[in-house]
Amino acid sequence: MSLVRVEGVSKQYQLGEQQVVALHDITLSIEEGVFLAIAGPSGSGKTTLLNIIGCIDNPTRGKVFIDDVEVTGRSANALADLRARTTGFIFQTFNLFPVLTAAENVEYPLLQLPEISREERQKRVAKYLKVVGLARYGAHMPNQLSGGQRQRVAIARALAINPRIVLADEPTANLDSATGKSILGLMKEINRQFGTTFIFSTHDRQVMSMADRLVRIEDGQVTMFGVKANDKWKSVKTAATEKNQEG
Ligand code: ADP
Ligand code: MG
């Protein structure tokens, strides 16, 4: 069983008179527990693909399955509920609320889950601030934190709901390379420790090299699906990559 499957997914945007094909006939199966990089140049469709996997955006054609259950076509409310319980999001520009403390930012997604008590919320906040190494920074405002610390708060916020999947759109693009490396290292450690599936986009080779699965996309098409073995990428044939090689 796969955790996420996208089948024949295309996405087109209408830009005035012009049709932009952001994704073309993508088929992918993502197993639970992987640390997967979506790599490709700017404009290749990485953000669009992440948004479709995260049910933030709907494909123009094709289907998305979570746990083998189709989610395409569900109502906006049903998708919002699915996201709130399943998926944590991390962004390139951190996207913390500037008027909330670090702890309040981490608590925020839990306020959407009425079954989680106030006490449990406090426990989760403390737990995940500790996991990201910011136990003593709960009362800090985002503007009192460095870029790397802000991204750590964002990671704690993504983890607060105990998500099955964390989606991260170029999480290191606004950080210097040493800080980016430590953020990726932290994500990988969480992936190992909690078994949380991570799917992140990047165009940085160093970041790609830390993944254990690699999806390369160019011009909205998957050009390679790689699995790491002995520190080398081994290209795995998939329906999608074969089709692209034929055509
Ligand atoms: P990446 O994240 O790899 O840079 P994107 O997924 O953001 O790529 O974009 C893929 C393509 O779709 C690009 O050509 C981009 O200009 C186009 N695109 C993305 N979002 C929109 C939109 N809302 N309206 C029109 N075109 C878009
Ligand atoms: Mg992008």
Side-chain angles (χ1 to χ4, degrees), residues 155-218:
I155 292 171
R157 176 180 60 184
L159 293 174
I161 63 161
N162 292 336
R164 309 257 317 272
I165 315 169
V166 172
L167 299 179
D169 196 3
E170 306 214 30
T172 62
N174 276 26
L175 301 170
D176 64 79
S177 79
T179 308
K181 210 170 166 199
S182 86
I183 289 291
L184 248 288
L186 172 64
M187 285 167 46
K188 184 137 193 173
E189 180 54 35
I190 292 162
N191 164 257
R192 278 207 203 106
Q193 198 180 333
F194 301 109
T196 315
T197 304
F198 276 79
I199 305 174
F200 55 95
S201 67
T202 186
H203 55 248
D204 179 335
R205 286 199 159 273
Q206 210 189 9
V207 170
M208 267 172 242
S209 71
M210 295 176 77
D212 57 29
R213 296 283 185 282
L214 179 65
V215 172
R216 270 191 180 285
I217 68 172
E218 278 166 51

Side-chain angles (χ1 to χ4, degrees), residues 89-172:
F89 293 90
I90 298 170
F91 304 92
Q92 180 176 337
T93 49
F94 323 133
N95 293 17
L96 300 179
F97 289 111
V99 296
L100 300 182
T101 64
E104 288 165 346
N105 269 284
V106 176
E107 184 184 14
Y108 190 81
L110 298 174
L111 299 172
Q112 290 180 63
L113 303 176
E115 70 274 21
I116 296 184
S117 67
R118 186 167 180 280
E119 196 189 0
E120 173 65 17
R121 291 203 305 267
Q122 302 311 322
K123 263 196 216 158
R124 298 257 188 117
V125 170
K127 172 179 174 180
Y128 288 115
L129 279 176
K130 188 163 173 223
V131 164
V132 301
L134 293 178
R136 291 188 297 116
Y137 290 82
H140 282 59
M141 303 304 286
N143 68 7
Q144 298 172 317
L145 298 171
S146 68
Q149 288 173 326
R150 288 182 209 185
Q151 198 60 307
R152 284 172 191 268
V153 174
I155 292 171
R157 176 180 60 184
L159 293 174
I161 63 161
N162 292 336
R164 309 257 317 272
I165 315 169
V166 172
L167 299 179
D169 196 3
E170 306 214 30
T172 62

